[in-house]
PDB file of all heavy atoms in Angstrom:
ATOM      1  N   ASP A   1       0.780  -1.134  -0.008  1.00  0.00           N
ATOM      2  CA  ASP A   1      -0.071  -0.003  -0.047  1.00  0.00           C
ATOM      3  C   ASP A   1       0.854   1.209  -0.043  1.00  0.00           C
ATOM      4  O   ASP A   1       1.921   1.312   0.657  1.00  0.00           O
ATOM      5  CB  ASP A   1      -0.925  -0.027   1.237  1.00  0.00           C
ATOM      6  CG  ASP A   1      -1.886  -1.091   1.134  1.00  0.00           C
ATOM      7  OD1 ASP A   1      -2.319  -1.592   0.057  1.00  0.00           O
ATOM      8  OD2 ASP A   1      -2.386  -1.593   2.240  1.00  0.00           O
ATOM      9  N   THR A   2       0.420   2.262  -0.812  1.00  0.00           N
ATOM     10  CA  THR A   2       1.148   3.365  -0.906  1.00  0.00           C
ATOM     11  C   THR A   2       0.513   4.439   0.122  1.00  0.00           C
ATOM     12  O   THR A   2      -0.703   4.717   0.125  1.00  0.00           O
ATOM     13  CB  THR A   2       1.078   4.113  -2.310  1.00  0.00           C
ATOM     14  OG1 THR A   2       1.674   3.128  -3.199  1.00  0.00           O
ATOM     15  CG2 THR A   2       1.806   5.424  -2.401  1.00  0.00           C
ATOM     16  N   PRO A   3       1.247   5.150   1.069  1.00  0.00           N
ATOM     17  CA  PRO A   3       0.659   6.008   1.999  1.00  0.00           C
ATOM     18  C   PRO A   3       0.161   7.118   1.320  1.00  0.00           C
ATOM     19  O   PRO A   3       0.567   7.647   0.348  1.00  0.00           O
ATOM     20  CB  PRO A   3       1.896   6.407   2.952  1.00  0.00           C
ATOM     21  CG  PRO A   3       3.044   6.083   2.206  1.00  0.00           C
ATOM     22  CD  PRO A   3       2.765   4.918   1.228  1.00  0.00           C
ATOM     23  N   VAL A   4      -1.012   7.717   1.833  1.00  0.00           N
ATOM     24  CA  VAL A   4      -1.631   8.855   1.228  1.00  0.00           C
ATOM     25  C   VAL A   4      -1.085  10.039   1.799  1.00  0.00           C
ATOM     26  O   VAL A   4      -0.756  10.197   2.918  1.00  0.00           O
ATOM     27  CB  VAL A   4      -3.243   8.893   1.597  1.00  0.00           C
ATOM     28  CG1 VAL A   4      -3.881  10.063   1.034  1.00  0.00           C
ATOM     29  CG2 VAL A   4      -3.963   7.567   1.093  1.00  0.00           C
ATOM     30  N   VAL A   5      -0.785  11.012   0.812  1.00  0.00           N
ATOM     31  CA  VAL A   5      -0.178  12.279   1.196  1.00  0.00           C
ATOM     32  C   VAL A   5      -1.069  13.389   0.869  1.00  0.00           C
ATOM     33  O   VAL A   5      -1.623  13.559  -0.210  1.00  0.00           O
ATOM     34  CB  VAL A   5       1.078  12.486   0.336  1.00  0.00           C
ATOM     35  CG1 VAL A   5       1.732  13.790   0.602  1.00  0.00           C
ATOM     36  CG2 VAL A   5       2.084  11.344   0.494  1.00  0.00           C
ATOM     37  N   SER A   6      -1.540  14.113   1.863  1.00  0.00           N
ATOM     38  CA  SER A   6      -2.465  15.226   1.720  1.00  0.00           C
ATOM     39  C   SER A   6      -1.781  16.370   1.087  1.00  0.00           C
ATOM     40  O   SER A   6      -0.579  16.413   0.982  1.00  0.00           O
ATOM     41  CB  SER A   6      -3.093  15.639   3.023  1.00  0.00           C
ATOM     42  OG  SER A   6      -2.013  16.212   3.888  1.00  0.00           O
ATOM     43  N   GLU A   7      -2.637  17.366   0.561  1.00  0.00           N
ATOM     44  CA  GLU A   7      -2.071  18.494  -0.020  1.00  0.00           C
ATOM     45  C   GLU A   7      -1.158  19.399   0.957  1.00  0.00           C
ATOM     46  O   GLU A   7      -0.278  20.080   0.512  1.00  0.00           O
ATOM     47  CB  GLU A   7      -3.139  19.330  -0.611  1.00  0.00           C
ATOM     48  CG  GLU A   7      -3.881  18.718  -1.923  1.00  0.00           C
ATOM     49  CD  GLU A   7      -4.711  19.627  -2.529  1.00  0.00           C
ATOM     50  OE1 GLU A   7      -4.849  20.714  -2.283  1.00  0.00           O
ATOM     51  OE2 GLU A   7      -5.444  19.118  -3.467  1.00  0.00           O
ATOM     52  N   GLU A   8      -1.606  19.320   2.264  1.00  0.00           N
ATOM     53  CA  GLU A   8      -0.881  20.103   3.230  1.00  0.00           C
ATOM     54  C   GLU A   8       0.413  19.394   3.640  1.00  0.00           C
ATOM     55  O   GLU A   8       1.292  20.100   4.232  1.00  0.00           O
ATOM     56  CB  GLU A   8      -1.796  20.289   4.500  1.00  0.00           C
ATOM     57  CG  GLU A   8      -2.947  21.140   4.218  1.00  0.00           C
ATOM     58  CD  GLU A   8      -4.056  20.468   3.508  1.00  0.00           C
ATOM     59  OE1 GLU A   8      -4.162  19.155   3.329  1.00  0.00           O
ATOM     60  OE2 GLU A   8      -4.998  20.989   2.992  1.00  0.00           O
ATOM     61  N   SER A   9       0.500  18.109   3.394  1.00  0.00           N
ATOM     62  CA  SER A   9       1.781  17.313   3.799  1.00  0.00           C
ATOM     63  C   SER A   9       2.939  17.735   2.996  1.00  0.00           C
ATOM     64  O   SER A   9       2.879  18.040   1.752  1.00  0.00           O
ATOM     65  CB  SER A   9       1.461  15.873   3.705  1.00  0.00           C
ATOM     66  OG  SER A   9       0.414  15.471   4.424  1.00  0.00           O
ATOM     67  N   PRO A  10       4.108  17.912   3.535  1.00  0.00           N
ATOM     68  CA  PRO A  10       5.334  18.345   2.818  1.00  0.00           C
ATOM     69  C   PRO A  10       5.681  17.161   1.907  1.00  0.00           C
ATOM     70  O   PRO A  10       5.543  15.952   2.208  1.00  0.00           O
ATOM     71  CB  PRO A  10       6.350  18.614   3.870  1.00  0.00           C
ATOM     72  CG  PRO A  10       5.866  17.758   5.067  1.00  0.00           C
ATOM     73  CD  PRO A  10       4.274  17.812   5.025  1.00  0.00           C
ATOM     74  N   LYS A  11       6.161  17.468   0.780  1.00  0.00           N
ATOM     75  CA  LYS A  11       6.691  16.432  -0.133  1.00  0.00           C
ATOM     76  C   LYS A  11       7.898  15.829   0.409  1.00  0.00           C
ATOM     77  O   LYS A  11       8.750  16.413   0.998  1.00  0.00           O
ATOM     78  CB  LYS A  11       7.008  17.027  -1.515  1.00  0.00           C
ATOM     79  CG  LYS A  11       5.831  17.611  -2.214  1.00  0.00           C
ATOM     80  CD  LYS A  11       6.178  18.145  -3.585  1.00  0.00           C
ATOM     81  CE  LYS A  11       4.995  18.641  -4.297  1.00  0.00           C
ATOM     82  NZ  LYS A  11       5.298  19.085  -5.656  1.00  0.00           N
ATOM     83  N   PRO A  12       8.011  14.506   0.208  1.00  0.00           N
ATOM     84  CA  PRO A  12       9.233  13.800   0.744  1.00  0.00           C
ATOM     85  C   PRO A  12      10.603  14.316   0.192  1.00  0.00           C
ATOM     86  O   PRO A  12      10.622  14.592  -1.090  1.00  0.00           O
ATOM     87  CB  PRO A  12       8.983  12.328   0.309  1.00  0.00           C
ATOM     88  CG  PRO A  12       8.144  12.304  -0.818  1.00  0.00           C
ATOM     89  CD  PRO A  12       7.139  13.605  -0.564  1.00  0.00           C
ATOM     90  N   GLU A  13      11.462  14.578   0.955  1.00  0.00           N
ATOM     91  CA  GLU A  13      12.854  15.142   0.496  1.00  0.00           C
ATOM     92  C   GLU A  13      13.802  14.021   0.065  1.00  0.00           C
ATOM     93  O   GLU A  13      14.731  14.340  -0.556  1.00  0.00           O
ATOM     94  CB  GLU A  13      13.456  16.069   1.587  1.00  0.00           C
ATOM     95  CG  GLU A  13      12.622  17.201   1.879  1.00  0.00           C
ATOM     96  CD  GLU A  13      12.980  18.169   2.847  1.00  0.00           C
ATOM     97  OE1 GLU A  13      14.245  17.790   3.480  1.00  0.00           O
ATOM     98  OE2 GLU A  13      12.552  19.181   3.212  1.00  0.00           O
ATOM     99  N   VAL A  14      13.603  12.822   0.701  1.00  0.00           N
ATOM    100  CA  VAL A  14      14.411  11.745   0.422  1.00  0.00           C
ATOM    101  C   VAL A  14      13.803  10.696  -0.547  1.00  0.00           C
ATOM    102  O   VAL A  14      12.676  10.385  -0.251  1.00  0.00           O
ATOM    103  CB  VAL A  14      14.953  11.014   1.690  1.00  0.00           C
ATOM    104  CG1 VAL A  14      15.869   9.928   1.510  1.00  0.00           C
ATOM    105  CG2 VAL A  14      15.546  12.059   2.654  1.00  0.00           C
ATOM    106  N   PRO A  15      14.381  10.316  -1.547  1.00  0.00           N
ATOM    107  CA  PRO A  15      13.828   9.308  -2.442  1.00  0.00           C
ATOM    108  C   PRO A  15      13.435   7.941  -1.639  1.00  0.00           C
ATOM    109  O   PRO A  15      14.213   7.512  -0.882  1.00  0.00           O
ATOM    110  CB  PRO A  15      14.862   8.950  -3.449  1.00  0.00           C
ATOM    111  CG  PRO A  15      15.765  10.211  -3.419  1.00  0.00           C
ATOM    112  CD  PRO A  15      15.744  10.641  -2.026  1.00  0.00           C
ATOM    113  N   LYS A  16      12.215   7.538  -1.972  1.00  0.00           N
ATOM    114  CA  LYS A  16      11.778   6.209  -1.392  1.00  0.00           C
ATOM    115  C   LYS A  16      12.406   5.105  -2.004  1.00  0.00           C
ATOM    116  O   LYS A  16      12.757   5.013  -3.247  1.00  0.00           O
ATOM    117  CB  LYS A  16      10.208   6.068  -1.449  1.00  0.00           C
ATOM    118  CG  LYS A  16       9.524   7.201  -0.633  1.00  0.00           C
ATOM    119  CD  LYS A  16       8.090   6.930  -0.740  1.00  0.00           C
ATOM    120  CE  LYS A  16       7.171   7.859   0.081  1.00  0.00           C
ATOM    121  NZ  LYS A  16       5.739   7.691  -0.007  1.00  0.00           N
ATOM    122  N   GLU A  17      12.544   4.019  -1.299  1.00  0.00           N
ATOM    123  CA  GLU A  17      13.120   2.838  -1.895  1.00  0.00           C
ATOM    124  C   GLU A  17      12.118   2.229  -2.925  1.00  0.00           C
ATOM    125  O   GLU A  17      10.872   2.128  -2.598  1.00  0.00           O
ATOM    126  CB  GLU A  17      13.399   1.718  -0.852  1.00  0.00           C
ATOM    127  CG  GLU A  17      13.995   0.412  -1.416  1.00  0.00           C
ATOM    128  CD  GLU A  17      14.334  -0.536  -0.303  1.00  0.00           C
ATOM    129  OE1 GLU A  17      14.354  -0.152   0.838  1.00  0.00           O
ATOM    130  OE2 GLU A  17      14.732  -1.684  -0.729  1.00  0.00           O
ATOM    131  N   VAL A  18      12.552   1.959  -4.085  1.00  0.00           N
ATOM    132  CA  VAL A  18      11.612   1.389  -5.164  1.00  0.00           C
ATOM    133  C   VAL A  18      11.471  -0.084  -4.964  1.00  0.00           C
ATOM    134  O   VAL A  18      12.455  -0.818  -5.003  1.00  0.00           O
ATOM    135  CB  VAL A  18      12.207   1.703  -6.578  1.00  0.00           C
ATOM    136  CG1 VAL A  18      11.307   1.223  -7.582  1.00  0.00           C
ATOM    137  CG2 VAL A  18      12.366   3.252  -6.553  1.00  0.00           C
ATOM    138  N   SER A  19      10.271  -0.497  -4.905  1.00  0.00           N
ATOM    139  CA  SER A  19      10.056  -1.923  -4.832  1.00  0.00           C
ATOM    140  C   SER A  19      10.396  -2.662  -6.076  1.00  0.00           C
ATOM    141  O   SER A  19      10.343  -2.093  -7.199  1.00  0.00           O
ATOM    142  CB  SER A  19       8.528  -2.190  -4.497  1.00  0.00           C
ATOM    143  OG  SER A  19       8.158  -3.514  -4.701  1.00  0.00           O
ATOM    144  N   LYS A  20      10.878  -3.835  -6.029  1.00  0.00           N
ATOM    145  CA  LYS A  20      11.163  -4.681  -7.168  1.00  0.00           C
ATOM    146  C   LYS A  20       9.977  -5.006  -7.947  1.00  0.00           C
ATOM    147  O   LYS A  20      10.010  -5.316  -9.074  1.00  0.00           O
ATOM    148  CB  LYS A  20      11.745  -5.961  -6.773  1.00  0.00           C
ATOM    149  CG  LYS A  20      13.210  -5.832  -6.031  1.00  0.00           C
ATOM    150  CD  LYS A  20      13.747  -7.145  -5.705  1.00  0.00           C
ATOM    151  CE  LYS A  20      15.170  -7.096  -4.999  1.00  0.00           C
ATOM    152  NZ  LYS A  20      15.755  -8.361  -4.700  1.00  0.00           N
ATOM    153  N   ASP A  21       8.775  -4.918  -7.283  1.00  0.00           N
ATOM    154  CA  ASP A  21       7.511  -5.117  -7.935  1.00  0.00           C
ATOM    155  C   ASP A  21       6.911  -3.981  -8.686  1.00  0.00           C
ATOM    156  O   ASP A  21       5.871  -3.953  -9.271  1.00  0.00           O
ATOM    157  CB  ASP A  21       6.515  -5.718  -7.070  1.00  0.00           C
ATOM    158  CG  ASP A  21       6.886  -7.052  -6.510  1.00  0.00           C
ATOM    159  OD1 ASP A  21       7.493  -7.798  -7.217  1.00  0.00           O
ATOM    160  OD2 ASP A  21       6.788  -7.312  -5.237  1.00  0.00           O
ATOM    161  N   LEU A  22       7.637  -2.764  -8.554  1.00  0.00           N
ATOM    162  CA  LEU A  22       7.221  -1.535  -9.139  1.00  0.00           C
ATOM    163  C   LEU A  22       6.986  -1.655 -10.701  1.00  0.00           C
ATOM    164  O   LEU A  22       7.852  -2.131 -11.341  1.00  0.00           O
ATOM    165  CB  LEU A  22       8.136  -0.376  -8.850  1.00  0.00           C
ATOM    166  CG  LEU A  22       7.761   1.038  -9.346  1.00  0.00           C
ATOM    167  CD1 LEU A  22       6.470   1.461  -8.716  1.00  0.00           C
ATOM    168  CD2 LEU A  22       8.800   2.029  -9.115  1.00  0.00           C
ATOM    169  N   LYS A  23       5.883  -1.168 -11.215  1.00  0.00           N
ATOM    170  CA  LYS A  23       5.612  -1.195 -12.572  1.00  0.00           C
ATOM    171  C   LYS A  23       6.248  -0.181 -13.428  1.00  0.00           C
ATOM    172  O   LYS A  23       5.967   1.024 -13.091  1.00  0.00           O
ATOM    173  CB  LYS A  23       4.010  -1.220 -12.864  1.00  0.00           C
ATOM    174  CG  LYS A  23       3.706  -1.364 -14.266  1.00  0.00           C
ATOM    175  CD  LYS A  23       2.246  -1.431 -14.513  1.00  0.00           C
ATOM    176  CE  LYS A  23       1.700  -1.527 -15.977  1.00  0.00           C
ATOM    177  NZ  LYS A  23       2.195  -2.679 -16.523  1.00  0.00           N
ATOM    178  N   LEU A  24       7.265  -0.444 -14.158  1.00  0.00           N
ATOM    179  CA  LEU A  24       7.988   0.545 -14.883  1.00  0.00           C
ATOM    180  C   LEU A  24       7.827   0.293 -16.387  1.00  0.00           C
ATOM    181  O   LEU A  24       7.679  -0.905 -16.771  1.00  0.00           O
ATOM    182  CB  LEU A  24       9.468   0.468 -14.556  1.00  0.00           C
ATOM    183  CG  LEU A  24       9.819   0.777 -13.092  1.00  0.00           C
ATOM    184  CD1 LEU A  24      11.250   0.527 -12.830  1.00  0.00           C
ATOM    185  CD2 LEU A  24       9.526   2.267 -12.782  1.00  0.00           C
ATOM    186  N   SER A  25       7.851   1.326 -17.275  1.00  0.00           N
ATOM    187  CA  SER A  25       7.779   1.085 -18.653  1.00  0.00           C
ATOM    188  C   SER A  25       9.057   0.498 -19.166  1.00  0.00           C
ATOM    189  O   SER A  25      10.133   0.640 -18.565  1.00  0.00           O
ATOM    190  CB  SER A  25       7.562   2.503 -19.397  1.00  0.00           C
ATOM    191  OG  SER A  25       8.666   3.308 -19.235  1.00  0.00           O
ATOM    192  N   PRO A  26       8.951  -0.164 -20.347  1.00  0.00           N
ATOM    193  CA  PRO A  26      10.205  -0.823 -20.907  1.00  0.00           C
ATOM    194  C   PRO A  26      11.346   0.196 -21.151  1.00  0.00           C
ATOM    195  O   PRO A  26      12.462  -0.157 -20.989  1.00  0.00           O
ATOM    196  CB  PRO A  26       9.698  -1.429 -22.219  1.00  0.00           C
ATOM    197  CG  PRO A  26       8.156  -1.627 -21.911  1.00  0.00           C
ATOM    198  CD  PRO A  26       7.752  -0.540 -21.065  1.00  0.00           C
TER     199      PRO A  26
END
């Protein structure tokens, strides 16, 4: 599950770890 980020919440400053299951384009 991806945590919900409200509009008031600050954007993450540190890149999140990318799951191996993440759907990426070719």
